[in-house]
Amino acid sequence: MKKENAYDFQKRLLTVHEPNRRNFARQPKENELLFPERVTISLPGNAGLVTATAAEDFADFLQVSMGLHAEITTEENAFLRVALAADAGIDLGEYATYKGFRIEVTASGVRVLGHDERGIGQALYYLEDLMCFESAPVLSMGVICKKPLFSPQMIHSGYYLDEYPDAYLARVAHEGRDAILIFAKDVNLTPVGPVDFNDLIRRAAKYGLDVYAYSYMKSPVSPLDPKAEEYYEGTYGKLFRECPGLKGVTLVGESVEFPSTDPHVSPGTWRDTVVDGIPTGKPSSGWYPCEDYPVWLNFIKKIIRKYNPDADIVFWSYNWGSQPKEARVKLIESLPKDISLQATFEMYQKRIYDGAVGGCDDYTLAFEGPGDYFMSEAVAAAENNIPLYSMANSGGLTWDIGVIPYEPMPYQWMRRFEAMRSAHDDWGLRGIMESHHFGFYPSFISKLGKHAFMEPREDLNEVLKKILISEFGEENYTQVNEAMEHISEAITHHTPSDSDQYGAFRVGPSFPFCLIRDTVLPNDPGAHFGSHIYYTGGTPRSSLYRTLPLPARILQECASLEKMQACMEKGVELLYAAPNRNERLDRLTNLCHFIRNCVRTGLNAKRWSVLLAKSNATFEVTGLSELYDRMDALLETERQVVEDTIPLVEMDSRLGWEPSMLYMTDRRHLEWKLRQLDYVRDCELANYRKCLKLS
């Protein structure tokens, strides 16, 4: 691996087909079809844009990745023939559904039949997967039929916040996802600037992708206000009037809260819950399942569907999962039946660390799910015939570690995917949000998820084996797989509390260790959230939700993170020891090394908090002197972690970056951290030591 400049990772995201994936030693086995050196692909005369785009993409794949010559033709006897099943007079049976397809492989060639154009596209992308699994242009003879388990599968951009170049859209479509999200403050306006929404809708459609608006439009006017019609026509009405191609809108409490009359909440927004400097003790409507949300939703629905009768209105209960079940279920029972309810899959779940109660305060892979909050809402949605969606982070990343592209923990992801399959069977889970503003980064995890979310269902262990071999080499499979087992176990020992996910684990080794002066990590200019999305150094706050106070669980959490670190150490050691290197393996090893260092910093930050708390409750000079020695040693330990991390981020420009924060753990920020550690040791801690000599 060579050193990269900032944003070089975007070049990788825009590489749709990796060159030279073919292993010429891989010859066809019995009952396998080998593609000829010249492949003709026929399209019907009425082929639409999605079909033509996917066929051209497949031809490019054959040429770039498999070293074959491929061309689009009108010949009816072409080697690969593409058609809509209805036009070909073929009944797809149970696969005659959205994105359903049938692939027929015989000795004379391949026929691809789609229920719709998106089905044709997914069939061709599926063929690419099969050839990459074999590292050769070979297919087993027979028939393959597939249909999606979930739709929509929504993702945010992992290229840059709300930016979707065509090649990135192609990557998203290849991974089986069918919808993208864009933050909307107004028509053509996102939190980071203007975007032509209609242009994005047109470009995404070419790849079989829908566009959802993620609403950032505040609702300061009650639906009962005489001016409500005018106000909401100027927001949601304007959005769907001027962007009629939008598939739908996602509404989440904290982003759309309105003046509620529910007695459980303050009458204004979250900014109004403090009066004369004293909190009211009540949440705002964005954080409670208010009884009048159905009135607001019906009002918004009426305005939106005036311009788009089929608009998918997604109501997300993210913010009030910690509120009483009775209040949440009561709200669901009164919701309109023609909207979609979205519940986060694992959030708010209690976790036990050697008897100490912690919790999943935000998105996490530490607990595969489903959580109690999700299950209660899923049951209520099923009983009330409301379409059920879930924020599942199944694109491959959560908030456990904030500045990485994906979490390489396949065995834990498989447990999540299996649980999602069961939620589909038990409660009718039909749609999923697969990433938030940390974005979607195509990886071997998202490839695993793609195959997990198709029917008939595949054995995920077999799929993972194919993926690991194709990505990292058959000669490395045993060692890489063992490493993945250790690293998959590691995440189960993570402590996904506010003080971790919004603390040291959010930015990893650049997180400041503070003694007297709270220090804020510098923002990257232009960042949407920047350092404001995590808490600064010093003593971490206790969880917002139902957990023990932090002092009553921090030592047990330290013990859990020690287990996490030990698992990461084993996994990283195995990856480095793999003798047959390739670039993908080097990148995986580099990523896991970085995650290991994030765990080290997270554990050091907890230990620092313990020492800081003890130093504030120790009343003898000797005891304080010993504590200051331990704090000094911990600062040196953390310095070594930071220094070890610098070459890692220089080799992969995606490490240390996140779309809403931008660069927070690059070389510049890590060197800042070193200076910050020096200040704490040489000034603040040194002054404390001087004061001890006064006794």
Side-chain angles (χ1 to χ4, degrees), residues 630-662:
R630 292 172 62 188
M631 295 173 89
D632 194 302
L634 187 56
L635 291 174
E636 178 57 31
T637 298
E638 179 63 13
R639 164 176 282 278
Q640 293 171 11
V641 174
V642 176
E643 291 173 341
D644 185 60
T645 304
I646 291 174
L648 304 178
V649 301
E650 290 191 310
M651 295 298 169
D652 186 344
S653 58
R654 178 53 181 81
L655 298 180
W657 182 88
E658 188 272 338
S660 70
M661 300 188 296
L662 304 185

Side-chain angles (χ1 to χ4, degrees), residues 500-690:
D500 293 315
Q501 289 187 325
Y502 286 78
F505 279 93
R506 180 57 57 95
V507 294
S510 60
F511 184 75
F513 283 29
C514 301
L515 181 57
I516 300 173
R517 180 193 300 270
D518 278 353
T519 309
V520 178
L521 190 65
N523 281 334
D524 193 312
H528 173 41
F529 286 131
S531 63
H532 302 296
I533 202 168
Y534 76 93
Y535 301 115
T536 57
T539 304
R541 71 177 190 178
S542 291
S543 171
L544 286 170
Y545 310 119
R546 301 183 182 112
T547 63
L548 283 173
L550 185 62
R553 59 183 164 86
I554 191 169
L555 295 180
Q556 291 89 334
E557 290 183 343
C558 284
S560 190
L561 287 183
E562 288 170 359
K563 296 175 184 176
M564 184 179 186
Q565 180 177 320
C567 291
M568 289 302 306
E569 297 284 357
K570 292 177 183 177
V572 171
E573 182 180 356
L574 283 165
L575 291 174
Y576 272 115
N580 300 288
R581 313 299 300 182
N582 60 45
E583 183 179 348
R584 290 186 295 277
L585 179 55
D586 286 341
R587 288 199 178 281
L588 175 64
T589 305
N590 199 66
L591 167 61
C592 293
H593 188 160
F594 180 84
I595 294 171
R596 179 186 68 178
N597 284 4
C598 291
V599 177
R600 287 173 168 175
T601 290
L603 180 54
N604 286 341
K606 279 192 185 295
R607 290 168 172 165
W608 179 260
S609 296
V610 171
L611 293 174
L612 188 60
K614 287 183 176 180
S615 72
N616 290 326
T618 297
F619 305 105
E620 296 179 357
V621 170
T622 301
L624 283 171
S625 180
E626 292 175 353
L627 283 170
Y628 295 158
D629 287 344
R630 292 172 62 188
M631 295 173 89
D632 194 302
L634 187 56
L635 291 174
E636 178 57 31
T637 298
E638 179 63 13
R639 164 176 282 278
Q640 293 171 11
V641 174
V642 176
E643 291 173 341
D644 185 60
T645 304
I646 291 174
L648 304 178
V649 301
E650 290 191 310
M651 295 298 169
D652 186 344
S653 58
R654 178 53 181 81
L655 298 180
W657 182 88
E658 188 272 338
S660 70
M661 300 188 296
L662 304 185
Y663 281 106
M664 298 296 278
T665 321
D666 56 356
R667 184 183 186 102
R668 178 172 73 90
H669 287 87
L670 290 167
E671 289 179 342
W672 174 91
K673 167 69 172 288
L674 293 175
R675 296 196 304 273
Q676 191 265 341
L677 291 175
D678 288 344
Y679 167 76
V680 172
R681 181 195 61 204
D682 298 338
C683 295
E684 294 184 338
L685 193 57
N687 285 335
Y688 274 10
R689 290 180 183 280
K690 290 178 182 178

Side-chain angles (χ1 to χ4, degrees), residues 190-443:
T190 77
V192 292
V195 172
D196 187 336
F197 289 1
N198 287 317
D199 174 68
L200 177 59
I201 291 166
R202 285 190 295 270
R203 291 189 295 108
K206 182 170 67 171
Y207 300 98
L209 302 172
D210 294 318
V211 179
Y212 281 74
Y214 183 106
S215 178
Y216 262 20
M217 295 187 286
K218 296 296 183 182
S219 305
V221 178
S222 165
L224 304 178
D225 191 300
K227 297 180 180 179
E229 188 86 21
E230 178 184 2
Y231 179 80
Y232 288 106
E233 274 287 352
T235 54
Y236 291 96
K238 177 184 176 184
L239 179 64
F240 280 85
R241 182 175 63 250
E242 297 189 18
C243 305
L246 281 173
K247 178 69 173 179
V249 61
T250 297
L251 308 169
V252 62
E254 65 185 74
S255 297
V256 301
E257 57 184 351
F258 71 104
S260 172
T261 59
D262 191 306
H264 295 91
V265 302
S266 60
T269 69
W270 64 272
R271 297 180 185 276
D272 305 315
T273 57
V274 176
V275 178
D276 295 333
I278 303 172
T280 64
K282 294 182 177 181
S284 63
S285 65
W287 275 262
Y288 191 83
C290 302
E291 60 188 10
D292 47 358
Y293 260 114
V295 177
W296 182 83
L297 280 167
N298 276 311
F299 193 90
I300 296 295
K301 181 184 71 174
K302 178 188 71 173
I303 287 176
I304 289 174
R305 290 194 175 148
K306 185 190 305 183
Y307 305 105
N308 183 345
D310 299 319
D312 187 10
I313 298 172
V314 183
F315 186 53
W316 186 8
S317 59
Y318 165 84
N319 289 102
W320 49 75
S322 65
Q323 298 295 345
K325 174 183 175 181
E326 295 75 16
R328 293 185 289 101
V329 170
K330 182 180 178 181
L331 171 59
I332 293 171
E333 291 172 344
S334 62
L335 289 176
K337 302 301 186 283
D338 56 350
I339 68 168
S340 305
L341 174 68
Q342 180 167 290
T344 308
F345 199 69
E346 77 292 345
M347 198 172 168
Y348 301 108
Q349 190 71 8
K350 289 182 180 179
R351 287 173 58 78
I352 307 299
Y353 306 97
D354 295 328
V357 179
C360 302
D361 288 344
D362 219 326
Y363 318 128
T364 181
L365 188 60
F367 168 58
E368 63 269 23
D372 293 334
Y373 139 68
F374 172 82
M375 288 190 285
S376 67
E377 304 224 336
V379 169
E383 291 176 347
N384 288 275
N385 296 312
I386 296 175
L388 177 65
Y389 294 1
S390 182
M391 169 51 165
N393 296 287
S394 43
L397 186 59
T398 67
W399 265 140
D400 288 318
I401 300 167
V403 286
I404 58 175
Y406 66 94
E407 289 170 296
M409 290 91 177
Y411 286 96
Q412 183 69 347
W413 280 117
M414 287 196 292
R415 288 186 279 272
R416 168 71 53 87
F417 298 158
E418 293 286 6
M420 292 169 65
R421 286 172 165 181
S422 296
H424 170 276
D425 299 341
D426 295 341
W427 305 300
L429 178 63
R430 65 171 71 176
I432 48 179
M433 182 184 287
E434 300 206 72
S435 71
H436 200 7
H437 51 70
F438 39 78
F440 176 76
Y441 192 98
S443 68

